[in-house]
């Protein structure tokens, strides 16, 4: 089931998490091939005692709603907004809120922020993979109401490799179309567009299998092997 597309509220939803990973970028990102946390929007330096993490934004970072006449750069203010909002007592996702308790976020300069921890925590960089959100998209919205921002959630603005193009509801599925963001500052992505189709159950998916190029989740047999339809092959991820 598709829920509003917002990285603040995707921790338990595979559908949203897959799409948000392409639409939004964090300061850092997880690489599933190396199992490492790597740079994304920013470079990182960690202090020798593991108490300070300094992140510096890369050059030429823009939000998807940028135009030639109205460039919308990713700024330190957007980073501060994203994380300080999570830390607010009224923030409506307690799991994510808990991850940033005891963390102080401060602006160093126009490109740099620093996270100060109460005590060393070597897995902290994984928390910095959270997708950054544009502050101006949430102007005037109370923090306690952020999980109800449907306008943004169904027409999201990110800084990731793919931008939201449209949502269509059909009799069989919900379709989300993403297009490659030409101003993305990261590595080149070679697919011009991607269509995600979200089905209510596996039997409905199978009824339209001829129109699919890949299936995200499949059932498994008693031996634990995936039940893959013909013309598909299983890939562990």
């Amino acid at each position: 089931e598709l829920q509003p597309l917002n990285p603040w509220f995707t921790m338990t939803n595979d559908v949203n998490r897959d799409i948000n990973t392409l639409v939004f970028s964090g300061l850092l990102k997880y690489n599933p091939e190396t199992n490492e946390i790597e740079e994304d929007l920013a470079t990182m330096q960690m202090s020798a005692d593991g108490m300070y993490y300094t992140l510096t934004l890369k050059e030429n970072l823009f939000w998807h709603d940028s135009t030639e006449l109205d460039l919308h750069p990713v700024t330190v203010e957007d980073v501060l907004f994203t994380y300080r909002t999570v830390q607010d007592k009224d923030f409506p996702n307690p799991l994510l809120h808990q991850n940033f308790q005891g963390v102080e976020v401060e602006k160093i300069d126009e490109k740099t922020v620093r996270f100060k921890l109460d005590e060393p925590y070597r897995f902290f960089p994984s928390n910095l993979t959270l997708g950054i959100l544009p502050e101006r998209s949430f102007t005037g919205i109370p923090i306690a109401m952020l999980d109800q921002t449907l306008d943004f959630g169904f027409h999201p603005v990110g800084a990731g490799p793919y931008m939201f193009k449209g949502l269509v509801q059909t009799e069989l599925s919900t379709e989300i179309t993403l297009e490659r963001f030409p101003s993305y500052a990261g590595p080149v992505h070679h697919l011009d567009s991607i269509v995600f189709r979200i089905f209510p159950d596996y039997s409905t998916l199978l009824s339209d299998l001829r129109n699919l190029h890949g299936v995200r989740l499949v059932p498994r047999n008693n031996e634990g092997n995936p039940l893959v339809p013909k013309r598909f092959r299983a890939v562990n991820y």
Side-chain angles (χ1 to χ4, degrees):
E1 179 182 350
L2 179 70
Q3 297 173 6
L5 295 163
N6 186 323
W8 278 328
F9 307 106
T10 61
M11 299 181 72
T12 60
N13 186 318
D14 284 336
V15 169
N16 283 61
R17 190 159 48 235
D18 286 349
I19 298 173
N20 280 340
T21 299
L22 296 174
V23 173
F24 297 95
S25 281
L27 297 174
L28 306 176
K29 64 183 176 182
Y30 172 70
N31 185 332
E33 295 182 353
T34 63
N35 294 323
E36 297 290 337
I37 301 295
E38 301 176 350
E39 296 177 354
D40 195 356
L41 296 180
T43 59
M44 183 183 79
Q45 290 185 325
M46 182 183 70
S47 63
D49 60 6
M51 298 280 284
Y52 294 88
Y53 291 81
T54 304
L55 284 294
T56 302
L57 290 175
K58 297 178 180 178
E59 299 294 328
N60 300 316
L61 301 176
F62 297 98
W63 296 106
H64 294 162
D65 59 355
S66 292
T67 66
E68 291 184 4
L69 298 178
D70 181 24
L71 287 177
H72 185 190
V74 178
T75 66
V76 163
E77 281 66 32
D78 293 316
V79 176
L80 294 174
F81 167 74
T82 298
Y83 286 100
R84 287 177 177 173
T85 298
V86 171
Q87 292 180 313
D88 191 281
K89 62 181 178 59
D90 293 328
F91 184 68
N93 183 345
L95 290 175
L96 186 57
H97 176 78
Q98 185 63 34
N99 286 348
F100 291 94
Q101 291 301 289
V103 178
E104 181 180 331
V105 190
E106 62 176 328
K107 177 180 178 178
I108 303 301
D109 57 38
E110 292 304 316
K111 285 286 186 180
T112 308
V113 295
R114 184 169 63 190
F115 296 82
K116 178 186 176 183
L117 279 57
D118 278 347
E119 57 185 38
Y121 176 54
R122 67 188 185 95
F123 296 111
F124 180 73
S126 66
N127 291 339
L128 301 182
T129 63
L130 174 68
I132 301 301
L133 288 148
E135 181 177 15
R136 80 178 189 185
S137 292
F138 298 90
T139 301
I141 300 175
I143 289 178
M145 303 285 286
L146 286 174
D147 57 343
Q148 302 175 41
T149 52
L150 301 185
D151 287 348
F152 181 88
F154 292 118
H155 203 291
V157 174
Y162 285 86
M163 54 186 179
F164 179 88
K165 180 64 176 177
L167 183 155
V168 176
Q169 183 71 54
T170 72
E171 291 184 0
L172 293 178
S173 66
T174 302
E175 298 183 4
I176 300 290
T177 300
L178 306 181
E179 288 188 348
R180 185 166 56 87
F181 182 42
S183 298
Y184 180 59
V188 175
H189 286 65
H190 297 284
L191 293 177
D192 288 331
S193 64
I194 306 170
V195 179
F196 286 90
R197 298 189 60 199
I198 302 150
F199 294 87
D201 50 60
Y202 194 57
S203 59
T204 306
L205 179 153
L206 291 175
S207 71
D208 203 32
L209 194 63
R210 66 187 183 281
N211 293 316
L212 304 179
H213 298 113
V215 180
R216 166 69 165 81
L217 294 171
V218 296
R220 295 177 179 269
N221 60 22
N222 293 334
E223 287 74 41
N225 298 318
L227 298 172
V228 182
K230 292 180 180 179
R231 85 174 173 83
F232 290 89
R233 62 187 177 88
V235 177
N236 289 323
Y237 177 80

